[in-house]
Amino acid sequence: MRRSRIPSAIAFAVLLTLSAARTSVAADVKIEAATVGIGDTWKYGYWTELQLELTSETGFRGRAEVLAPDGEGASVQYVSEEEVNVPPGGALTLRRLVKLGRPVGHLGVRFTTSDATWLARVELPPGLPAQQEVLLQLGGAGGLDRRKLKGFEVRDIVASQLPENWIGLSAFDFLWISAGDEQASQLNKRQLAALRLWLEQGGQLVICLGQQAEALLTPGGPWSPLLPAEYRGSGVRQFGGGIEQFAGAQVRLPPFTAANFEPAVSNARVLASVTAANQQFPVILRAPLGFGVVTLAGLDLEATPFANWEATPTLARLLLEVEGKRLAVEEQTVGSVRHVGFDDLSGQLRSALDSFGDNGELAAAAGKSESAESSEAGAGGSMNVGLISFALVILILVVYAVLLGPGDYYLLARLRKPMGTWVTFPLLVAAICGAIVWLRGELKSNRPLANQVDVVDVCTATGSVRGTLWAQLYAPSTAQWEVQSRPAPALAGGEAGAKMLLSWQGLPGSYLGGMSSSSQAGLLTEPYQLDSEASRLLQLPMRTASTRSLAGRWWARDALAGSARTSPGSPAQPDAWEFAHSKLTDRDGVLRGRLTSPLKVDLRDCVLFYNNWAHLFNSGEIAAGETVLAEDLLRRDLDWRLTRRRIASAADTSYTSTPWDEESRDVSRIMEMLMFHNAAGGERYTRLKHAYQGYLDLTTHLKLGRAVLVGRAPTPATTLTTAGAVLPGQQWCYYRVIFPVAPER
């Protein structure tokens, strides 16, 4: 593994040396210490926080920019308008968001003043692959048996290492907090706010309450926005049958101390209960929060008897096992897909978007009409970008060799003018070269293009909104682009202060061009700039007939009109908008009630997913603000829809799933799998991982009493521009609206 890093490290070191050669020594500033990620734990291809401890004897006032490789090995300069001011003889903690794409082992920091610059080198701790699942553990071992968490990387952290920006947590899958010690109580308000936003955006949190139970569960306290329960006391329990059943224990649990609490949200799921004063109290419950999940256990797994109970490791693992997604206890064997150059669904989407054309599968999936395409082509030239097959290249070479060799010889022999080769030879070469240039013009577009996919998720219970953008850029000629993006969702509350991060999109894995590979792509070129605050890329190098992958994430809160909370101290509560417009219930597994679209745009190809069912709309559409009844929808089996089951044999009425085609470029089909991968069987069905952008999978919410409306919009949810102009191309935009479903009593 270390050997694979050498080419990347050497190339990036040369770049820093060349950059330093063009600088002069600036004011005295020194990097005393540097931390990347959370406790020096970080992953390739994710935004992470770089923390620098700066000192200066004479003082420093200027700017600091970070130089790091992107997913293709090109150098990125992370710029910021924020001024760095280190007082004379003083110190300053500087925080910057960066995204690291290759295992180079170090990065550069460029300090700039009005008259000088200085380049410093920062050594990096080893990073983790983009697909590596990571569990952060705050406050003790929590009973976890790491041997039973195959494929998981468990890292112990302390309270001071948690960031105050939720983006710094976005690379991590789980956070486990053991509240038996004082680590949980040491988190400040900014850290708790970041933790709350991380949960709303899709994080998964497990909290084991111990001695801090009463303090954490106090109504109106700093932790109340995170916890879906209210404290009801604690005491010693003699019988733990509910816990034993949940853990599948063969050995009885001795008397233990447990905190009692009551669910504070309607769709909380009780996983285990205990008896106290002839009453059943939940002791383990799980509830969705925004797009994330919180699991709360009123137990201290560090204390006796759990510290010695043989079922505690299994209990701890089950606390992490959210519905719809099981942790790997044993290594799974899946089919190899190395021949396609990726092993993650994000790689298949990237490959599909890398195809540009006026017709075919992509254009049909995008839903463009022939007239619309014709008008676009007529306005600025062809949008077709055909691929030159290997067979065509061989044919051209054969024709070239035949014409220049035997063809030229026999022609001149028949004319009896052998000296004519001085004329025919250059003419043939020029003609063939002209034909190749003409063919290239026919196959390649003469205008810049962008294929774009948007996914907008809306949670009606919290008013939270998040968006994900994928874009594949095509350049007809060599140039430096300025690319900027801005969210423009069709929501009742508009942008509602949405914040966005635009950056490069990497390919996970060690395949050619992957973030874990040692191959380089233009690393020694001048770095391009990434301004995270303005969501734009500057001086982005684009070669002739080349493509580049970009990705963006944006988020907003209270983005629904009329989304005032019923209880300001408990943001997890459903809002007034939901009760006024939508009310879905579950009667014996059957979805009933009404739902209203909170969008300002009509959706087509609509499906309402809930539990194990897909509910189809008769017209396939729902208009902006329209209300529909669940009873009027056609109910179909979810697994049948996702795996495209069909009758295999009419004789014995057997059925079989349609195998997943990892070479397919059907964007709509790929997006369906990105949204509900685990519901379709996960890696066992697709033979592909869904780890790099796994937060998109909402299977867990289908199992936690929530319905998800999915539909396609005619216009994109983000505007992508270069030099102020919107790039033409094919666009897909999906909205997913989450509705709580209450059990019908």
Side-chain angles (χ1 to χ4, degrees), residues 660-701:
W660 179 257
D661 182 7
E662 58 265 19
E663 297 183 3
S664 171
R665 294 177 181 173
D666 186 344
V667 172
S668 296
R669 178 70 172 135
I670 297 172
M671 293 307 301
E672 183 180 53
M673 199 53 55
L674 281 168
M675 295 177 185
F676 301 105
H677 186 237
N678 288 322
E683 198 171 344
R684 294 188 182 277
Y685 173 63
T686 62
R687 296 178 296 168
L688 293 172
K689 300 176 183 177
H690 187 14
Y692 184 33
Q693 292 168 323
Y695 66 89
L696 290 164
D697 193 335
L698 292 183
T699 301
T700 296
H701 291 266

Side-chain angles (χ1 to χ4, degrees), residues 474-527:
Y474 168 79
S477 59
T478 299
Q480 289 186 335
W481 288 18
E482 176 183 340
V483 183
Q484 189 167 14
S485 63
R486 184 178 65 84
L491 301 176
E495 295 181 35
K499 298 180 181 179
M500 183 168 188
L501 287 173
L502 177 69
S503 65
W504 49 267
Q505 166 81 345
L507 176 67
S510 57
Y511 303 99
L512 181 63
M515 289 183 285
S516 297
S517 70
S518 58
S519 61
Q520 299 301 314
L523 183 62
L524 298 181
T525 61
E526 190 72 17

Side-chain angles (χ1 to χ4, degrees), residues 31 43 214 268 281 345 375 386 409 480 542 581 623 662 671:
I31 301 176
K43 294 164 66 173
E214 184 174 1
F281 287 97
L345 277 172
S375 62
Y409 173 79
Q480 289 186 335
M542 300 290 293
H581 297 77
E662 58 265 19
M671 293 307 301

Side-chain angles (χ1 to χ4, degrees), residues 416-641:
R416 297 181 180 181
K417 294 182 178 181
M419 297 303 292
T421 190
W422 293 98
V423 177
T424 58
F425 183 85
L427 288 177
L428 285 173
V429 172
I432 293 175
C433 290
I436 293 175
V437 171
W438 173 84
L439 182 62
R440 185 266 177 196
E442 289 296 309
L443 293 177
K444 302 296 182 182
S445 174
N446 58 1
R447 63 190 302 198
L449 303 173
N451 286 339
Q452 175 180 339
V453 176
D454 286 290
V455 173
V456 180
D457 294 324
V458 181
C459 178
T460 61
T462 62
S464 302
V465 179
R466 70 179 183 187
T468 305
L469 162 72
W470 297 267
Q472 198 76 3
L473 309 181
Y474 168 79
S477 59
T478 299
Q480 289 186 335
W481 288 18
E482 176 183 340
V483 183
Q484 189 167 14
S485 63
R486 184 178 65 84
L491 301 176
E495 295 181 35
K499 298 180 181 179
M500 183 168 188
L501 287 173
L502 177 69
S503 65
W504 49 267
Q505 166 81 345
L507 176 67
S510 57
Y511 303 99
L512 181 63
M515 289 183 285
S516 297
S517 70
S518 58
S519 61
Q520 299 301 314
L523 183 62
L524 298 181
T525 61
E526 190 72 17
Y528 64 92
Q529 297 181 351
L530 194 157
D531 187 348
S532 61
E533 298 168 358
S535 186
R536 64 177 179 174
L537 303 174
L538 304 173
Q539 302 173 6
L540 181 67
M542 300 290 293
R543 297 190 179 96
T544 300
S546 68
T547 61
R548 187 179 287 272
S549 301
L550 301 182
R553 290 190 69 175
W554 59 270
W555 60 97
R557 307 181 76 175
D558 300 325
L560 298 179
S563 59
R565 301 287 177 266
T566 56
S567 175
S570 180
Q573 294 286 347
D575 57 29
W577 185 95
E578 171 205 338
F579 284 116
H581 297 77
S582 300
K583 186 176 179 60
L584 293 174
T585 60
D586 182 326
R587 177 189 291 180
D588 299 327
V590 178
L591 192 63
R592 302 173 62 86
R594 68 180 186 275
L595 64 89
T596 301
S597 172
L599 309 177
K600 295 192 298 182
V601 64
D602 298 346
L603 298 181
R604 57 189 177 86
D605 301 335
C606 295
V607 181
L608 181 65
F609 296 94
Y610 175 68
N611 204 353
N612 296 318
W613 301 98
H615 300 78
L616 309 182
F617 288 64
N618 292 320
S619 64
E621 299 179 353
I622 182 172
E626 181 183 358
T627 298
V628 299
L629 297 178
E631 294 87 342
D632 295 337
L633 306 181
L634 303 176
R635 193 169 71 155
R636 296 292 183 265
D637 184 89
L638 176 61
D639 181 68
W640 278 56
R641 176 179 175 83

